[in-house]
Amino acid sequence: MINPTIIDKSKETILWEEACISLPGDTGIVKRHKHIKIEFTDVTGKRQKQKYKDFNAVIIQHEIDHLDGILFMDKVIPEKKKSTKK
Ligand SMILES: [Zn+2]
């Protein structure tokens, strides 16, 4: 997925426990849109539109946040923050 853009998203949200290889040992619950529709360029250069839901929708929202300089910890519900770091 090159230059993905969310072009539609559900009002319905889900809570998901996220982690990230950029933040080893940290997890937290983040509220995400349950359904998203994105537009992106594929590896052949073709522009595509695709719908995703649940786990795949969460991952894509997490990764698009990275492109915008946002980490899941910036969005985590504070009382749900966990860390295994010592
Ligand atoms: Zn990440």
Side-chain angles (χ1 to χ4, degrees):
M1 278 177 202
I2 301 162
N3 294 331
T5 308
I6 296 174
I7 55 173
D8 199 13
K9 57 198 175 208
S10 63
K11 284 197 180 92
E12 189 182 354
T13 57
I14 49 174
L15 296 177
W16 207 277
E17 183 168 13
E18 297 189 22
C20 181
I21 56 173
S22 301
L23 300 166
D26 290 335
T27 62
I29 305 289
V30 181
K31 190 195 280 185
R32 299 285 189 186
H33 299 287
K34 185 172 171 63
H35 300 264
I36 56 169
K37 185 176 182 183
I38 64 164
E39 189 174 355
F40 61 96
T41 303
D42 70 18
V43 288
T44 68
K46 202 176 113 199
R47 210 62 190 156
Q48 283 203 33
K49 288 177 185 169
Q50 198 77 47
K51 289 178 180 176
Y52 296 92
K53 65 174 186 171
D54 299 323
F55 182 57
N56 289 334
V58 168
I59 291 171
I60 291 165
Q61 289 169 85
H62 177 118
E63 299 304 334
I64 288 176
D65 276 352
H66 274 299
L67 297 175
D68 295 332
I70 298 164
L71 295 172
F72 83 92
M73 279 307 213
D74 299 325
K75 293 188 164 180
V76 82
I77 297 170
E79 61 274 19
K80 307 274 188 184
K81 215 177 261 186
K82 279 188 225 165
S83 179
T84 56
K85 282 188 224 161
K86 289 173 180 131

